[in-house]
Amino acid sequence: MDTDTGTDAGTDTGAVERAAARRMWHLLEPLHAVVYYAPEAYEEAAALGYGTAERWPAYFAWRAAPLGAAGAEETTAAFHSFSPDMVARYVPESWRIAAPDAVLAARTRAVTRTYAALLGPGADTPGVAEAATLARRVAGAAVPAGPLSAANAALPWPGEPAAALWQAATVIREHRGDGHLRALREAGLDPVESLVSFAAIGAAPPEVFASRGWTPTAWEAARSRLAARGLVDAAGAATEAGRELRAQVERRTDELAAAPWRVLSDDEREHLAKALEPFWVAAIGSGLLPGVNTLGIGKV
């Protein structure tokens, strides 16, 4: 018997849980990611001494700070998709500019200010506190799957509801991300092959993935390896086998991401989704997030 299939109603319970996990990811990811682009976050980064002509100095600091003063190798492994050479440009230099504890304090300020700017008076409403409470329950049920989910889960919780909502969203998304890395490894895809195969199914144009710092030589070598496995054709587009492998990765990612959501009832999960919708609209409507991104939201 398929263990994903409910025996009473004949419902594919596993498919329902995977779909729910993906839906919540689509809602939560913009609430997490918007901070990396917000002017308030750039101001906080500049106050610490980070350059703000590009987003990467602050990005690596904000996202890696929960790991402590991690070196380039540890950060590369945790982030997975970035070229080691790119990571080494920013880490461990990040910690010579500001200690991780100072970065985390500034990150919380950046989150609070960003949400206040996005939501206005709505940032301090019962709806935010309610969403934070429900999302925090899910985050608390997320058994750490890797270094980023574990490090964020170990941080103290902010008292301010908007900041607590962002932290819960971050724990949940890093838990999903760590599971995604597991799925990619199970599929036999190394970091650059993961990006090439994702571009091959149309998740984003290859030039968008250039932001991860891989050289054209490394990209073409990965494409050749995938072609040898029958996963991409001569033009670099995914073959049927390549599309199926990526579909497997996404199914496995959703499966690994689904477990924490079981802590909420169907009604509670639906209530959280409804509560998050205005925040999602505000984040998307802000114009801060790139319309085409490396995550494939809206594409996969």
Side-chain angles (χ1 to χ4, degrees):
M1 179 182 292
D2 185 344
T3 56
D4 277 349
T5 302
T7 56
D8 294 333
T11 301
D12 187 346
T13 306
V16 171
E17 289 186 342
R18 291 193 300 271
R22 179 161 291 261
R23 177 194 182 197
M24 299 309 296
W25 168 54
H26 279 254
L27 283 169
L28 286 169
E29 182 64 29
L31 303 187
H32 163 83
V34 71
V35 171
Y36 299 127
Y37 298 90
E40 295 79 11
Y42 277 95
E43 290 168 6
E44 292 290 346
L48 289 175
Y50 292 104
T52 56
E54 58 174 351
R55 73 185 182 97
W56 299 117
Y59 172 86
F60 279 97
W62 296 143
R63 192 164 174 226
L67 299 172
E73 185 174 350
E74 181 183 354
T75 304
T76 299
F79 283 27
H80 184 75
S81 65
F82 286 88
S83 157
D85 290 341
M86 182 175 181
V87 177
R89 287 201 294 273
Y90 302 104
V91 177
E93 177 63 22
S94 294
W95 320 130
R96 287 192 279 270
I97 295 171
D101 284 350
V103 173
L104 288 170
R107 188 175 83 165
T108 298
R109 292 194 298 271
V111 169
T112 302
R113 292 179 59 202
T114 297
Y115 276 26
L118 284 177
L119 303 175
D124 190 27
T125 62
V128 174
E130 188 174 16
T133 297
L134 289 170
R136 183 171 172 178
R137 283 176 55 195
V138 179
V143 177
L148 284 171
S149 56
N152 279 282
L155 295 175
W157 284 92
E160 205 279 326
L165 174 59
W166 187 86
Q167 183 159 316
T170 299
V171 171
I172 294 166
R173 71 90 58 192
E174 296 293 16
H175 175 269
R176 180 186 178 87
D178 287 335
H180 186 59
L181 302 194
R182 176 177 168 181
L184 291 168
R185 288 192 295 268
E186 291 174 353
L189 297 170
D190 68 24
V192 64
E193 290 168 357
S194 299
L195 299 181
V196 175
S197 65
F198 206 30
I201 65 168
E207 54 268 24
V208 172
F209 293 99
S211 65
R212 294 303 185 254
W214 298 98
T215 66
T217 300
W219 187 271
E220 287 305 318
R223 181 179 286 174
S224 294
R225 294 194 297 274
L226 295 178
R229 292 173 61 184
L231 299 175
V232 299
D233 62 22
T239 61
E240 183 176 348
R243 289 188 173 278
E244 175 54 31
L245 186 67
R246 286 301 318 197
Q248 266 180 26
V249 167
E250 296 303 321
R251 284 195 298 271
R252 181 64 168 146
T253 299
D254 290 338
E255 176 186 316
L256 293 170
W261 290 101
R262 295 175 191 140
V263 76
L264 299 184
S265 68
D266 291 347
D267 286 346
E268 287 173 325
R269 191 169 57 242
E270 187 62 28
H271 191 72
L272 175 59
K274 293 296 185 186
L276 290 174
E277 284 177 1
F279 315 146
W280 182 90
V281 169
I284 297 297
S286 70
L288 295 172
L289 296 168
V292 180
N293 57 70
T294 58
L295 294 171
I297 289 181
K299 298 285 187 178
V300 298

